Amino acid sequence: MNGETHNVKMTNWEVFARLVRDAKPIYGWLLLGALMGAAVVTCAVIAPQLLGAAIQLLYDAWAGERPLAGLTDALLPLCGGLAAVYLIKSALEAGKMYLMNNVVSRYYTCNLRISISDKISRLPISFIDKTPAGQIIDRIQEDVSNMGGSIHDIVDVFIMGFMQIIVIAVMMLRENWKMGLAVLLLMPLSILISSRISARCGNYFRKMFRESGELYSVVEESYASYQTTKAYNHEEATIAAHAAINDRQKDAEAKAIFLQGLITPCITAANAIAYILVAVIGGYLTVKGALGVGAVVTVLLYSRQFSSPLEQIAGVMGSVQRTCAAAGRVYELQDAEEEKPIDGHLTGTIKGDVEFDGVNFSYDPETPLIRDFTVKVRHGQKVAIVGPTGAGKTTLVNLLMRFYDIQSGKITIDGQDIAAVSREDVRGLFGMVLQDTWLFGGTVADNVAYGKPDATREEIITACDEAYCDHFIRTLPQGYDTVVSEDSINISGGQKQLLTIARALLANRRLLILDEATSNVDTRTEILLQKAMDKLMRDRTCFVIAHRLSTIVDADLILVINDGQIVETGTHEALLEKQGFYYRLYTSQYAV
């Protein structure tokens, strides 16, 4: 699946409209930014008027149409006003930039990342199983950053830019409609060219982001399996895979940026032609005496200001395509189907009777796995689940824990259908020790207390002592306060497994799931561990999944599964006497 969702693809306009709609919590800040932008535009409109008036005074004095006396007094207010306008304009632009960068963008992106994090917590395990971690990280980091930057552009370029275009167009037409029309007639042509080019940009930006997600996945996998890569001398192959994706991303990005770079020159060329036309028409009208020099200068300044927002908007149009591609990927994640919340709760004191009644399940509808599975487990029983790889052993645990929901049938605990109660209630009944150990970045004590955060230090030490890991913990540099993580090199795989077993011991849940719990423990430790487990499993329902059949010879009930169905049930001795499927599994492991 590679992280792709099956949602209907949104058009760029739909994505852009949703982007604006999702910015509703910061509309107040955006409005303030827009008002500051309007004030900047006002200053930009006033400045050419003042400058044009000052130049007209100088021209009239030079042409002898007004006396030189009093010229300075007439110019000082205009120059002072011009200086004040530019100072105010600069202060407003700096304030608006600070507001947008330090308040709006950060606030928006922070909330968006929190929203995505909350969304992921509501997604089913199946989504996480099928989506590479690199894809999710790429969307949270790169895509959200692009979206945050676009909010800045919406106010800074689109709102302010269009406002400036309209106001300046009106002012040019008021000064002289002929010169103003020469500028405006070229605007549709530049917009048409820009829109065509930006549409092509969007296709390449979408491809670039898709390859970027793949690149994140390769990098994440490379570091996660660093030792394996080294052990098999797989560095060259990893580098080749990375290079291939990187080349595809580079090619898409180069084409997108090249096309994006064409937009501004096209706008600039059109504006340069307009500027020349204004100068020619203004010069002709001035020679004919139909227009003053000051008015020509004013319109020339307006035409230059008119081109600036057009160039900015043209430049942003390519960025909008990048943003829409990024936002589309984020919205696909946000629109992914969530687990349906269930408000029901388990009632009464749970003993631990578990029943599978006609359960059917498959990860892929075209490939049935668990078929008409029925079994009853009494509380306090130790139930072993054995079978060849792919038989469906771990799938049963996924169904018990509500990581996946069954297609038909029913699973009950103490007669209560677990499909009718909240997943949190169901999962709160189970302690788990999985084949793949997991430690988070924290102290040894914090890791052991993961399932019981309020545990005392004495309780933690007792659990570790029962799991036979107290001794090696005390040999660590800071003992129980030693900081460890999943990739800690100062703790072996077997020791990590012991810590996760101590975690389950401390949690002390009514039901236990041990999925290959002793696979990473040496034989001597396994014997000691079995004794500790016997104490823990007393009066508790326990499901043990194991390939090493020596660990489940004392199970109260052994379920032998093949192709998603129970083929044999019974105790170890009874199953050996049958000399059936279990007998063949057992003898294949221990026959000399």
Side-chain angles (χ1 to χ4, degrees):
M1 186 170 177
N2 291 330
E4 298 297 328
T5 61
H6 295 287
N7 297 341
V8 176
K9 295 291 183 181
M10 302 172 67
T11 65
N12 281 352
W13 282 113
E14 290 172 333
V15 171
F16 189 76
R18 180 169 173 177
L19 186 68
V20 174
R21 186 171 64 249
D22 287 352
K24 186 175 181 180
I26 58 172
Y27 276 178
W29 294 109
L30 294 179
L31 178 61
L32 178 58
L35 291 174
M36 294 175 73
V40 170
V41 172
T42 301
C43 292
V45 170
I46 293 174
Q49 293 284 337
L50 294 174
L51 186 58
I55 289 175
Q56 188 64 51
L57 283 174
L58 291 170
Y59 178 80
D60 290 344
W62 175 78
E65 295 179 5
R66 63 163 294 151
L68 293 176
L71 179 61
T72 302
D73 293 336
L75 285 173
L76 281 176
L78 294 173
C79 293
L82 189 63
V85 166
Y86 278 120
L87 285 173
I88 294 172
K89 181 172 178 287
S90 298
L92 287 170
E93 286 178 335
K96 182 171 65 64
M97 185 67 68
Y98 177 84
L99 172 70
M100 300 305 294
N101 284 342
N102 293 278
V103 179
V104 178
S105 292
R106 290 185 182 181
Y107 184 83
Y108 176 79
T109 55
C110 178
N111 279 358
L112 186 55
R113 288 191 173 106
I114 291 173
S115 172
I116 294 174
S117 179
D118 291 340
K119 173 69 178 187
I120 292 173
S121 69
R122 298 191 299 271
L123 291 175
I125 297 294
S126 58
F127 180 90
I128 305 301
D129 286 344
K130 297 175 182 177
T131 307
Q135 292 274 357
I136 297 176
I137 293 172
D138 186 36
R139 297 185 191 196
I140 294 175
Q141 290 291 340
E142 299 297 329
D143 293 349
V144 170
S145 293
N146 275 294
M147 293 170 68
S150 69
I151 297 299
H152 185 290
D153 291 336
I154 289 171
V155 174
D156 199 31
V157 177
F158 279 99
I159 295 178
M160 181 178 164
F162 281 117
M163 187 188 306
Q164 188 172 348
I165 288 172
I166 293 171
V167 173
I168 291 176
V170 172
M171 297 301 294
M172 283 193 299
L173 292 173
R174 282 186 57 190
E175 286 291 333
N176 186 273
W177 68 270
K178 295 178 181 178
M179 290 191 295
L181 197 61
V183 177
L184 296 180
L185 286 176
L186 288 170
M187 186 174 69
L189 177 61
S190 61
I191 292 177
L192 177 63
I193 295 173
S194 301
S195 61
R196 292 291 180 86
I197 296 175
S198 65
R200 293 285 301 277
C201 285
N203 297 328
Y204 289 116
F205 276 127
R206 279 187 288 273
K207 182 178 180 181
M208 182 190 77
F209 282 117
R210 185 168 59 250
E211 298 298 343
S212 175
E214 293 291 337
L215 198 64
Y216 264 87
S217 297
V218 170
V219 172
E220 189 268 337
E221 289 173 0
S222 298
Y223 283 104
S225 59
Y226 184 76
Q227 289 180 325
T228 304
T229 302
K230 286 288 187 181
Y232 284 91
N233 295 321
H234 208 256
E235 294 94 338
E236 293 298 328
T238 302
I239 292 172
H242 180 278
I245 299 173
N246 191 63
D247 287 343
R248 293 197 298 269
Q249 182 191 12
K250 181 178 68 175
D251 180 65
E253 185 172 6
K255 290 177 179 177
I257 292 176
F258 173 75
L259 289 173
Q260 182 182 354
L262 289 179
I263 297 175
T264 300
C266 291
I267 297 292
T268 303
N271 291 332
I273 295 172
Y275 192 76
I276 294 171
L277 288 175
V278 168
V280 171
I281 295 172
Y284 175 78
L285 293 175
T286 301
V287 171
K288 290 292 185 179
L291 194 64
V293 173
V296 174
V297 172
T298 300
V299 176
L300 281 172
L301 290 173
Y302 278 142
S303 68
R304 176 53 62 190
Q305 288 187 354
F306 187 79
S307 67
S308 178
L310 277 177
E311 291 173 2
Q312 290 177 347
I313 291 173
V316 169
M317 286 178 70
S319 298
V320 167
Q321 293 294 332
R322 178 196 292 260
T323 298
C324 287
R329 284 160 40 88
V330 171
Y331 291 147
E332 284 180 1
L333 178 58
Q334 287 190 316
D335 293 342
E337 187 176 355
E338 300 179 6
E339 288 183 326
K340 295 180 181 178
I342 301 173
D343 297 328
H345 296 284
L346 293 167
T347 59
T349 302
I350 301 300
K351 295 186 299 181
D353 292 328
V354 178
E355 180 178 357
F356 289 80
D357 184 11
V359 170
N360 291 279
F361 172 80
S362 63
Y363 296 104
D364 182 356
E366 298 181 358
T367 309
L369 181 57
I370 304 296
R371 293 166 291 175
D372 196 26
F373 186 87
T374 300
V375 70
K376 292 183 179 181
V377 179
R378 297 192 305 275
H379 68 275
Q381 281 191 318
K382 176 182 177 181
V383 180
I385 306 172
V386 302
T389 300
K393 303 185 298 298
T394 302
T395 299
L396 292 180
V397 173
N398 289 336
L399 299 181
L400 269 177
M401 293 292 291
R402 293 290 307 279
F403 292 152
Y404 289 84
D405 289 327
I406 59 177
Q407 272 88 48
S408 62
K410 184 167 63 173
I411 302 175
T412 62
I413 297 178
D414 286 4
Q416 301 179 60
D417 188 352
I418 64 173
V421 300
S422 71
R423 294 175 179 84
E424 291 75 17
D425 275 19
V426 174
R427 292 166 188 168
L429 296 174
F430 290 89
M432 291 189 71
V433 179
L434 301 177
Q435 181 177 1
D436 297 324
T437 59
W438 176 79
L439 301 178
F440 62 86
T443 66
V444 171
D446 291 337
N447 271 280
V448 174
Y450 188 79
K452 189 180 179 182
D454 58 347
T456 64
R457 180 56 65 93
E458 289 73 19
E459 290 175 323
I460 294 171
I461 293 174
T462 299
C464 291
D465 186 54
E466 290 180 350
Y468 300 97
C469 55
D470 176 70
H471 172 71
F472 88 77
I473 292 174
R474 294 185 185 277
T475 64
L476 296 174
Q478 284 81 41
Y480 281 87
D481 295 317
T482 301
V483 176
V484 298
S485 63
E486 174 60 26
D487 56 354
S488 292
I489 60 175
N490 57 337
I491 297 181
S492 68
Q495 290 171 336
K496 290 179 183 179
Q497 189 67 281
L498 289 174
L499 287 177
T500 62
I501 292 171
R503 181 189 293 166
L505 285 163
L506 181 61
N508 200 22
R509 303 286 175 80
R510 291 299 305 165
L511 297 96
L512 294 173
I513 293 175
L514 309 176
D515 187 354
E516 296 289 354
T518 60
S519 60
N520 291 326
V521 180
D522 60 74
T523 305
R524 178 179 175 276
T525 305
E526 180 182 333
I527 295 172
L528 298 176
L529 184 59
Q530 285 299 325
K531 294 179 180 179
M533 285 296 181
D534 288 341
K535 289 186 294 182
L536 174 66
M537 291 185 285
R538 193 172 299 144
D539 296 327
R540 290 177 174 82
T541 308
C542 182
F543 294 87
V544 181
I545 299 175
H547 285 300
R548 296 169 62 179
L549 302 184
S550 62
T551 62
I552 48 90
V553 293
D554 60 342
D556 299 307
L557 177 65
I558 298 175
L559 305 178
V560 185
I561 300 178
N562 190 33
D563 293 332
Q565 293 182 308
I566 297 178
V567 294
E568 289 180 336
T569 61
T571 63
H572 173 69
E573 291 79 8
L575 290 173
L576 287 181
E577 289 179 2
K578 289 183 179 179
Q579 295 192 358
F581 195 85
Y582 179 81
Y583 176 82
R584 291 192 294 274
L585 282 177
Y586 186 82
T587 54
S588 67
Q589 287 189 14
Y590 299 103
V592 179

